[in-house]
């Protein structure tokens, strides 16, 4: 399977789902970056880089200190994936635009075409993601009470 060069959105959805599942399992302690990194198979620094904008956007909260970590700050049913996308993607191009040579006959015009295309693709992505909540992700993933209990047991071990 081809890998995207920007994994922030995927990691964010994974981490938010993990936090939601932990809360559903009755876990009251925050989840540490190392634990989240273990689940996502990425570096804890990358996890924290992804969680920062989610905290700034009010989706997560963090507790500092030795027993600190991360918690979901909202009901999973109230979080759309479009919110997550916007917090991480902002107005950055989706298609990886380049800076063409303005002296070239094609280069002088293509950027405007590509920017318009990028805007339409971004709008389509947001429209699709706006119809999906974090609760939908949990349901689509087939998570059940046993999964939540396993997460809680793993956290207390």
């Amino acid at each position: 399977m081809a890998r995207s060069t920007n994994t922030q959105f995927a990691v964010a959805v994974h981490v938010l789902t993990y936090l939601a599942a932990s809360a559903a399992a009755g876990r009251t302690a925050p989840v540490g970056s190392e634990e989240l990194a273990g689940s996502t198979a990425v570096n804890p620094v990358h996890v924290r880089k992804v969680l920062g904008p989610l905290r700034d956007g009010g989706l997560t909260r963090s507790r500092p200190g030795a027993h600190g970590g991360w918690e979901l700050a909202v009901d999973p049913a109230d979080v759309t994936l479009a919110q997550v996308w916007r917090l991480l993607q902002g107005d950055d191009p989706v298609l990886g635009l380049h800076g063409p040579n303005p002296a070239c006959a094609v280069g002088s015009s293509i950027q405007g075409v590509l920017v318009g295309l990028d805007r339409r693709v971004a709008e389509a992505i947001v429209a699709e993601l706006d119809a999906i909540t974090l609760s939908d992700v949990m349901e689509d993933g087939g998570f059940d009470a046993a999964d939540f209990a396993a997460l809680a047991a793993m956290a207390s071990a």
Side-chain angles (χ1 to χ4, degrees):
M1 173 177 14
R3 292 192 67 151
S4 172
T5 56
N6 184 347
T7 62
Q8 287 188 348
F9 177 75
V11 169
V13 172
H14 184 141
V15 165
L16 289 170
T17 303
Y18 192 100
L19 293 174
S22 295
R27 181 174 181 167
T28 57
V31 180
S33 300
E34 276 74 17
E35 183 178 336
L36 294 169
S39 179
T40 58
V42 299
N43 189 296
V45 172
H46 185 63
V47 168
R48 288 188 292 274
K49 181 179 177 183
V50 168
L51 282 164
L54 301 179
R55 179 188 53 219
D56 295 344
L59 301 184
T60 61
R61 61 181 160 257
S62 61
R63 290 191 203 171
H67 299 288
W70 298 88
E71 302 168 310
L72 192 63
V74 293
D75 185 315
D78 295 334
V79 179
T80 69
L81 297 189
Q83 290 172 279
V84 177
W85 177 266
R86 286 186 197 105
L87 288 170
L88 295 171
Q89 185 69 23
D91 292 328
D92 291 346
V94 176
L95 300 178
L97 300 177
H98 71 297
N101 181 353
C104 170
V106 173
S108 65
S109 301
I110 197 68
Q111 194 68 2
V113 173
L114 292 173
V115 167
L117 176 62
D118 183 79
R119 190 174 312 117
R120 290 193 311 272
V121 168
E123 289 168 0
I125 290 170
V126 169
E128 184 68 24
L129 295 176
D130 204 35
I132 305 167
T133 67
L134 187 54
S135 289
D136 294 332
V137 172
M138 293 173 70
E139 183 178 324
D140 290 349
F143 301 115
D144 61 21
D147 294 322
F148 301 148
L151 278 177
M154 188 169 57
S156 64

